Amino acid sequence: MTVLKRIRKVINWLIFNEYAENDAQVASKLGYTKSSFSQIIKGKVPLSEKFIDKLANADENINKVWIKTGDGSMFFSENTPFVVEEPMNPYCKECSIKLQKIKLLEEANMALQDNLKDKQLIIDLLKGENEKREQSCG
């Protein structure tokens, strides 16, 4: 695993562990702009010791040596749970919330459609009654 993949894994852990909600917030908390952070984690600019220090210091259990070399474990404490082996999609939480909102909107839409059908039935009944009255008056 490359150093950039290990960095991505740490960032994903921080997001999973609710240190931040996304890469932009991780960047901000570490003192970087979103743009410079993105360039660093994509390998477009040299990786500095300062960046690795800041990333490792974001969680006391993150092993800085592992980030740099891949030696040892990602965490100092073997008791630290790490359930996400593959890079986690940082937007999963956001997607889940959006899916819940979509479901609620769909349910509200169905209720409104049912309400509209009921209103249309009432309108049709009233029109029918009105036509009968017009015929009897006419």
Side-chain angles (χ1 to χ4, degrees):
M1 180 182 300
T2 67
V3 67
L4 292 178
K5 286 184 180 180
R6 289 189 296 274
I7 286 171
R8 170 47 56 198
K9 202 167 190 176
V10 170
I11 293 166
N12 289 341
W13 166 252
L14 292 172
I15 292 168
F16 175 77
N17 207 33
E18 298 181 351
Y19 171 80
E21 289 185 18
N22 52 43
D23 283 5
Q25 283 187 358
V26 173
S28 177
K29 287 187 173 196
L30 296 180
Y32 293 90
T33 64
K34 182 180 174 184
S35 174
S36 63
F37 184 79
S38 177
Q39 290 178 344
I40 293 168
I41 66 174
K42 289 180 180 176
K44 294 186 178 188
V45 297
L47 188 60
S48 70
E49 186 76 22
K50 182 179 172 184
F51 178 85
I52 294 173
D53 286 342
K54 286 183 175 187
L55 189 61
N57 290 331
D59 184 308
E60 64 186 14
N61 285 314
I62 294 174
N63 182 351
K64 181 171 119 176
V65 173
W66 178 83
I67 295 173
K68 292 169 78 173
T69 66
D71 293 336
S73 172
M74 181 174 162
F75 302 105
F76 287 121
S77 168
E78 290 302 318
N79 295 329
T80 304
F82 187 69
V83 293
V84 182
E85 289 298 324
E86 293 299 314
M88 186 181 114
N89 181 347
Y91 302 104
C92 285
K93 191 175 190 178
E94 184 180 330
C95 289
S96 177
I97 292 169
K98 285 182 180 179
L99 287 172
Q100 289 173 2
K101 287 180 181 179
I102 289 170
K103 185 176 179 182
L104 289 172
L105 288 171
E106 285 174 340
E107 289 172 3
N109 188 28
M110 292 292 285
L112 288 171
Q113 287 178 5
D114 288 342
N115 191 356
L116 184 60
K117 287 177 187 176
D118 292 343
K119 301 291 186 202
Q120 188 61 50
L121 284 173
I122 293 170
I123 290 170
D124 292 342
L125 287 172
L126 290 172
K127 281 182 180 178
E129 285 181 23
N130 192 39
E131 286 176 7
K132 286 179 186 177
R133 285 189 185 160
E134 284 178 354
Q135 288 174 356
S136 65
C137 292

